[in-house]
Amino acid sequence: MIHSIIENVKITPHSGHLASYIPALANQSKDLFAACLVDERGEILSFGDANYSFTLQSISKVMSFIVAAEHLGLEKILEKVDVEPTGDPFNSIVRLEVAEKGKPFNPMINAGAITVASLLPGDDVEARVNSVKQYLAQITGHEHTVNEEVYRSELETAYRNRAIANYLKANDYLEGTVEEALETYLQLCSLEVNTEDLAKFGLFLASDGLIAGENKNLITHKTAQFSKALMMTCGLYNASGKYAATIGIPMKSGVSGGVLCAVRNGEIEHLRGYIGIAVFSPMIDEIGNSVKGMIFLKQLSDQYHLSVF
Ligand code: DON
């Protein structure tokens, strides 16, 4: 059944665009498509270009929030960033002008994620990025590297993010220097994964932080709960409400074309219980969500009744 969904999605005419505002992402092949599902027993279903590595982009924001919350405690993080959806584009600045003293609305938009990046454990950019790489490696079982070409190309053109970071610093919602926060945030956005890695991250979230085969929770229930709630309410930006209603599972997108999902109690072919799902297709819509990724997830949710509602 999943095969027929994928074949149907793959023959759908391309629409949307590549995230060419990040120059290095303009070179991705439009025809790439991968999907991976993994359940709590470690059963894996992989389809298409499953070994293709792509950059996390905004999906990294979920990992950063988790590491910062586990490091400083949720209450401390919530003093610096709220948990409210904006209904605005991911890189909007407007709310920083009208919000309570310029406090970023949530950690899934660029403003909140840049604040969270400045709160990560470590005395410098390398240490802060490593704090997230270490968590990711425990989840996926291998090390992850920064795609330097993507990172450099975005750092050289990050005019909007630099404006956001300066605004946050001016209103005391940034620790350390603007440059450090920006470099940390953009290196995390450029961390490379494949869909199997991402599906394992989704399973980690769905199971409230369980590491498969180790039967230990790497994070607190509260951190996992807040992460999934933020994915559901803010993870797809100004389309989060539509997809909560039509797909109904915690999801987080990235402009390179990845989408991360956490299913708490699913039954998909021979997969059961907690299920992590990842899909990758680089053409994105005007909001920044993968066009074919969202079509795939909508059909999967309809077919297997994945919605939590
Ligand atoms: O900061 C940016 O604009 C990118 N590094 C990440 C944006 C992104 O992935 C938005 N999500 N769909």
Side-chain angles (χ1 to χ4, degrees):
M1 188 56 77
I2 298 184
H3 264 294
S4 57
I5 292 176
I6 287 178
E7 288 317 305
N8 174 38
V9 171
K10 285 172 80 169
I11 62 173
T12 304
H14 282 307
S15 63
H17 60 279
L18 294 170
S20 52
Y21 78 96
I22 302 173
L25 294 185
N27 307 323
Q28 293 193 112
S29 163
K30 296 178 181 179
D31 296 323
L32 286 165
F33 186 91
C36 184
L37 301 86
V38 58
D39 78 1
E40 57 190 72
R41 300 163 302 167
E43 292 286 319
I44 296 179
L45 292 177
S46 275
F47 304 87
D49 305 297
N51 293 322
Y52 179 83
S53 290
F54 53 94
T55 53
L56 277 173
Q57 296 304 326
S58 282
I59 298 170
S60 67
K61 296 169 176 175
V62 181
M63 196 80 252
S64 304
F65 172 76
I66 287 171
V67 176
E70 291 293 299
H71 168 59
L72 288 178
L74 209 46
E75 294 318 311
K76 273 284 179 212
I77 302 299
L78 299 181
E79 287 174 13
K80 295 291 186 181
V81 57
D82 214 332
V83 286
E84 287 303 328
T86 62
D88 298 326
F90 59 82
N91 57 3
S92 174
I93 297 177
V94 68
R95 301 268 176 186
L96 293 179
E97 183 69 33
V98 300
E100 168 223 339
K101 296 191 285 299
K103 185 176 182 179
F105 267 55
N106 71 71
M108 300 295 113
I109 56 175
N110 289 14
I114 293 169
T115 288
V116 168
S118 77
L119 299 172
L120 287 167
D123 297 331
D124 58 23
V125 172
E126 184 182 8
R128 292 180 194 125
V129 172
N130 284 340
S131 71
V132 174
K133 285 167 77 170
Q134 283 156 16
Y135 263 84
L136 196 52
Q138 290 187 79
I139 294 164
T140 65
H142 68 89
E143 297 302 317
H144 293 264
T145 55
V146 170
N147 181 316
E148 283 296 325
E149 182 195 1
V150 171
Y151 166 60
R152 292 282 162 211
S153 84
E154 186 164 18
L155 185 63
E156 285 155 18
T157 57
Y159 310 111
R160 197 169 180 84
N161 279 332
R162 202 175 293 279
I164 290 171
N166 277 288
Y167 213 106
L168 292 165
K169 187 66 182 175
N171 290 304
D172 195 26
Y173 285 107
L174 203 78
E175 295 301 316
T177 69
V178 164
E179 207 52 37
E180 284 173 340
L182 208 52
E183 289 177 10
T184 303
Y185 165 71
L186 292 177
Q187 286 191 32
L188 294 172
C189 284
S190 301
L191 280 175
E192 288 196 317
V193 293
N194 59 34
T195 42
E196 186 170 315
D197 297 326
L198 214 44
K200 288 177 181 174
F201 185 16
L203 173 64
F204 172 79
L205 287 162
S207 62
D208 280 6
L210 265 180
I211 295 291
E214 293 184 22
N215 292 325
K216 74 172 185 176
N217 282 63
L218 192 60
I219 59 175
T220 64
H221 167 67
K222 206 76 186 150
T223 298
Q225 187 182 44
F226 265 68
S227 301
K228 287 179 282 188
L230 283 163
M231 290 165 69
M232 183 74 95
T233 58
C234 310
L236 300 171
Y237 309 109
N238 33 331
S240 298
K242 176 177 82 170
Y243 288 122
T246 57
I247 299 178
I249 55 177
M251 294 175 278
K252 182 70 200 82
S253 63
V255 285
S256 56
V259 188
L260 158 74
C261 312
V263 175
R264 184 165 183 77
N265 183 20
E267 193 166 327
I268 304 174
E269 298 191 359
H270 64 270
L271 304 183
R272 300 284 180 278
Y274 295 128
I275 300 173
I277 304 173
V279 60
F280 169 72
S281 176
M283 294 286 274
I284 58 173
D285 62 21
E286 68 288 349
I287 293 174
N289 300 320
S290 170
V291 176
K292 291 195 173 184
M294 298 316 298
I295 294 171
F296 168 73
L297 291 169
K298 171 70 168 65
Q299 293 186 19
L300 197 74
S301 180
D302 288 347
Q303 181 63 42
Y304 295 102
H305 313 296
L306 300 180
S307 176
V308 300
F309 303 111

